[in-house]
Amino acid sequence: MITLAVFDMAGTTIDDGGAVYDALRIAVEETGVPVSPADLQTWMGAEKRAAITALIELGGGDPAQPADRVDVAFDRFRALLDELYTAHPPTPIDGVPEAIAALRASGVRVALTTGFSQDVAHGILDRLGWVVGGDSADGGAAENGPESAASLHVDAVVCGDEVAAGRPAPYMIHRAMERTGTLAVSEVLVAGDTAVDVQAGANAGAAATIGVLTGKLDREAFDGQPFTELLDSVADIPAYLARR
C-alpha cells in the first residue's frame, strides 16, 4: 500500500514554461562557457549549484576559477528565474491539484522535492497559493467543498540545499519520509519528469517510480532509466494506484 507520494516540482506538478531551463542555461553561458541541450537536460533535476558546477566543467571551464564563479552564476540564476516568473508566473499542471487533493483525501500523504533552494521553492509555492502542512488529514477539504488549486495543501517540501546531495541521490526522498512520518520505503511512490528524478526514486528503493511526460522528455528519452511506469502526468496517478 502506498502511503506517501513524492513529486518533483517544475515540469512534474508545476508548469513554469521552461523558465528553469532558460535561467540555468543563461546563467552558465554568462560565465563564458557553452551549454549543450543534452548536458542541460541531464542536469535539470539536480540541485542547482551542483548543476551549475557540472555544466561549467562540461563546457570546458573551471568552476573554481575565479573562486566565486559558481556563487555568481547561482545568484544570476535566481535573479533570472525571478524575472521570468514575474513575467510569466508558474501555474499548476492541468489535473495535478485535483490529483494531489484526491490522494490526500484517500490517506496518501504528498511531499514535493526540488533541486531549487528553499527560498526559490517556497517563493513558487507562495505565488501559487499552495500551503505546506497545517491542515487536517482529510486532504484539506473544508465545509464548502474540496480545496481548490489556489488553496492546495501538501504535507512536506524538501529542497536540494537541505540535504547532503541532490538527485540522483535518494536523500530528499528519505527526508520527505522523515517529515511525513513514513517508516517504510515500500510504501513510497516517486514521480518526476527527468532522468535523475527516476534514478533518485530507484536509489531510494521506492515501491513505485513513475516517469511523467509533462516536462521536456518524451518516452524514448526515458529508455534505459529505472522507472516502474511511464504516465502522461501526475494527474494519472490516482487511477494508476487504483488499478495497481
Side-chain angles (χ1 to χ4, degrees):
M1 180 178 69
I2 298 298
T3 62
L4 172 63
V6 181
F7 300 146
D8 172 52
M9 287 180 59
T12 300
T13 53
I14 296 166
D15 180 3
D16 74 341
V20 177
Y21 283 78
D22 292 339
L24 186 58
R25 175 184 56 79
I26 293 168
V28 174
E29 288 179 342
E30 286 182 353
T31 72
V33 301
V35 177
S36 77
D39 289 339
L40 184 62
Q41 179 58 64
T42 297
W43 284 91
M44 267 308 301
E47 190 275 324
K48 294 304 177 278
R49 286 183 185 274
I52 288 167
T53 300
L55 289 169
I56 290 173
E57 290 177 336
L58 288 166
D62 182 349
Q65 295 296 327
D68 64 348
R69 191 173 193 177
V70 172
D71 291 337
V72 170
F74 180 69
D75 288 343
R76 179 64 174 145
F77 163 75
R78 292 197 301 180
L80 286 164
L81 194 64
D82 186 65
E83 292 173 12
L84 291 167
Y85 280 173
T86 298
H88 302 285
T91 59
I93 289 174
D94 288 347
V96 167
E98 294 82 0
I100 291 175
L103 289 169
R104 298 187 70 245
S106 71
V108 177
R109 294 189 180 277
V110 175
L112 302 179
T113 59
T114 178
F116 294 140
S117 57
Q118 295 174 68
D119 58 335
V120 173
H122 287 278
I124 294 170
L125 296 177
D126 288 345
R127 288 175 186 267
L128 294 173
W130 291 11
V131 178
V132 182
D135 69 319
S136 64
D138 65 357
E143 293 181 359
N144 293 328
E147 59 189 342
S148 67
S151 63
L152 188 72
H153 285 73
V154 296
D155 295 285
V157 174
V158 183
C159 301
D161 61 349
E162 297 183 85
V163 292
R167 306 176 187 120
Y171 307 134
M172 286 197 291
I173 296 166
H174 292 158
R175 182 64 59 86
M177 292 175 62
E178 177 186 356
R179 289 185 175 171
T180 58
T182 305
L183 300 180
V185 74
S186 61
E187 298 179 358
V188 178
L189 176 148
V190 175
D193 67 303
T194 68
V196 293
D197 289 325
V198 296
Q199 291 165 14
N203 289 337
T209 298
I210 309 297
V212 296
L213 304 176
T214 46
K216 297 289 187 180
L217 297 188
D218 57 19
R219 289 183 179 274
E220 289 72 24
F222 277 101
D223 286 349
Q225 297 300 328
F227 59 83
T228 306
E229 187 95 13
L230 286 180
L231 298 176
D232 288 335
S233 170
V234 163
D236 299 323
I237 287 179
Y240 165 80
L241 289 178
R243 66 176 184 268
R244 185 174 182 267

